[in-house]
Amino acid sequence: MHPDGTISEPGLANLVDHLLTTGCDGIVVGGTTGESPTLTEAEAARLVRAVAARSKNQARVVAGIGTYDTAVSIHRAREAEAAGADAVLLVCPYYSKPTQAGVVAHCVAVADATELPVMLYDVPARTGIAMEAPTLIELAGHPRIRAVKDAKGDLFEAMSVMARTSLAYYCGIDELNLPYLACGATGVLSVVGNVVADRNAELIRAVRSGDLDSAKAIQGSLIPLVDAIMRTSQGAVMAKAALAGLGIIPHATVRLPLLEPPPPHLQRLTDALATIAVPV
């Protein structure tokens, strides 16, 4: 974003180019960990349209469309489909704490509203409730519900659901990328990947080839950066700071209630970036 909080088109284009260059095969637009709650509907659709045009089919575009209002989520899903999204990311309804039956009804209603594949987003630390295993198993029966971004951190549950469904699991906790992949996850949806998607790609390849020693070495090399981005101010805040520091985006501006990181957090980030070579 520009310092006045408006969307920076050059910054967006540079970021998409960076992600494609570093090996991303999917780009999430408006993920809820970032600033999507501060985007207007017009801005959200505009971002999807711009990313889809810039990526030129080199990466799948996944639009974050979930809210705690089913009707609004349906509308946003349809807007994303019209804007060129390849799939939608649907977070568990937050704050209102529906029953699990309500979660199922919400997700089915959104999945029925478009022809796009749906990735569920299970992140109880933010939403206040989890998508329980029976709920995930039931939702897996829907022909368009194909995947889960799992930020719950319960590896046994994840393995249990994978064993009983065809859902593709994606790790949504950067600190646990390696164990999730080792347990059968398809890939990662990574905040830190905004900076080092190439390392995540190497990690996935190492696990798939059975080279766990290399996988452990890659994950170990990323620990300082994961710590600096995910365990200081806030993931999206710190990822923007890293991208701005590397010259990929022009500004690290965030919209309230998020704030740019204080000097001690920036120093931790600078020190972590110094330990790895980041493609720019």
Side-chain angles (χ1 to χ4, degrees), residues 201-216 218:
E202 290 172 5
L203 177 66
I204 293 168
R205 285 194 294 269
V207 173
R208 287 180 177 173
S209 67
D211 187 357
L212 290 183
D213 286 339
S214 293
K216 287 190 291 184
I218 295 165

Side-chain angles (χ1 to χ4, degrees), residues 2 40 54 118 128 132 164 182 215 222 225 274:
H2 295 296
T40 66
R54 189 75 181 185
V118 175
E132 296 176 1
R164 295 185 59 185
L222 292 175
L225 187 61

Side-chain angles (χ1 to χ4, degrees), residues 35-243:
E35 293 170 280
S36 63
T38 72
L39 295 173
T40 66
E41 288 190 5
E43 286 176 328
R46 172 184 163 198
L47 286 174
V48 172
R49 191 173 295 108
V51 173
R54 189 75 181 185
S55 64
K56 298 176 182 177
N57 296 319
Q58 296 178 66
R60 297 290 182 91
V61 177
V62 182
I65 53 85
T67 72
Y68 52 21
D69 183 331
T70 304
V72 170
S73 300
I74 287 171
H75 176 72
R76 292 203 169 200
R78 288 172 173 161
E79 289 280 299
E81 184 176 40
D86 297 300
V88 295
L89 179 66
L90 179 61
V91 71
C92 185
Y94 45 86
Y95 193 80
S96 52
K97 292 189 175 182
T99 63
Q100 291 297 300
V103 172
V104 169
H106 171 85
C107 294
V108 167
V110 176
D112 283 344
T114 77
E115 296 301 316
L116 296 178
V118 175
M119 176 183 288
L120 305 174
Y121 184 12
D122 190 10
V123 57
R126 291 182 179 274
T127 60
I129 60 169
M131 292 179 169
E132 296 176 1
T135 296
L136 293 166
I137 292 167
E138 181 176 353
L139 288 169
H142 193 287
R144 279 187 291 280
I145 295 178
R146 308 279 184 79
V148 178
K149 177 185 177 182
D150 186 344
K152 185 184 293 176
D154 186 335
L155 285 166
F156 182 74
E157 181 185 280
M159 290 188 291
S160 300
V161 175
M162 283 188 278
R164 295 185 59 185
T165 72
S166 60
L167 290 171
Y169 260 66
Y170 290 80
C171 180
I173 306 174
D174 275 295
E175 297 93 320
L176 297 179
N177 282 342
L178 175 53
Y180 265 87
L181 290 167
C183 288
T186 298
V188 301
L189 265 70
S190 170
V191 176
V192 177
N194 281 281
V195 185
V196 286
D198 57 328
R199 303 302 175 85
N200 282 344
E202 290 172 5
L203 177 66
I204 293 168
R205 285 194 294 269
V207 173
R208 287 180 177 173
S209 67
D211 187 357
L212 290 183
D213 286 339
S214 293
K216 287 190 291 184
I218 295 165
Q219 185 77 6
S221 72
L222 292 175
I223 286 175
L225 187 61
V226 172
D227 177 70
I229 291 179
M230 301 306 298
R231 300 203 168 201
T232 55
S233 287
Q234 193 258 19
V237 168
M238 297 304 292
K240 274 193 175 185
L243 292 166

